[in-house]
Amino acid sequence: QGQLVESGGGLVQAGGSLRLSCKPSRIILSEFWSSTMGWYRQAPGKERELVASITDGGNTIYADSVKGRFAISKDNSRKTMYLQMNSLKPEDTGDYYCRRQSRSGDDYWGQGIQVTVSS
């Protein structure tokens, strides 16, 4: 139930787009839709930072640096969370981590997926 499977990273040119996916393994639907989920990133030599998060009610938070370019969403029917990243910049480069926080206080992290934006 704790494993988070991330996909969609890779190398893209500046101005391009990527869509990251995060799917918890062996999770029941009620546990998924009631969770707060988010994406964090860590650039080389920097601390991990919040990129975007979404609550069970659909409320979203974005880092100022990605507002207007990134969109986070949850598809309950697929039990998958997405991060659509548009107009990518070299400073978006880093390892992106999926996080799920359950209502009971459990906290799960994915292993991370690499995103590289070339100038």
Side-chain angles (χ1 to χ4, degrees):
Q1 185 177 358
Q3 186 179 7
L4 301 175
V5 181
E6 300 146 324
S7 62
L11 172 65
V12 64
Q13 288 188 332
S17 298
L18 285 174
R19 188 176 76 159
L20 303 184
S21 299
C22 173
K23 185 177 176 65
S25 63
R26 300 185 299 278
I27 189 171
I28 60 175
L29 180 57
S30 61
E31 185 70 16
F32 177 79
W33 67 252
S34 68
S35 297
T36 291
M37 299 189 71
W39 287 97
Y40 292 71
R41 71 184 176 195
Q42 187 165 18
K46 294 188 177 181
E47 293 187 354
R48 192 175 297 185
E49 62 176 356
L50 173 69
V51 175
S53 67
I54 184 166
T55 68
D56 56 346
N59 295 315
T60 57
I61 294 175
Y62 293 94
D64 287 343
S65 60
V66 307
K67 284 180 181 176
R69 299 188 297 121
F70 290 11
I72 190 170
S73 61
K74 287 173 70 178
D75 185 334
N76 290 329
S77 65
R78 290 184 168 83
K79 291 183 280 187
T80 302
M81 177 184 65
Y82 301 100
L83 183 68
Q84 178 67 42
M85 305 187 293
N86 299 325
S87 302
L88 282 161
K89 304 176 181 180
E91 51 264 44
D92 295 318
T93 294
D95 292 323
Y96 283 68
Y97 297 86
C98 172
R99 182 184 189 186
R100 183 175 78 84
Q101 297 165 280
S102 72
R103 283 184 179 175
S104 61
D106 297 321
D107 194 355
Y108 304 96
W109 288 87
Q111 299 228 344
I113 191 165
Q114 192 170 39
V115 171
T116 303
V117 185
S118 63
S119 56

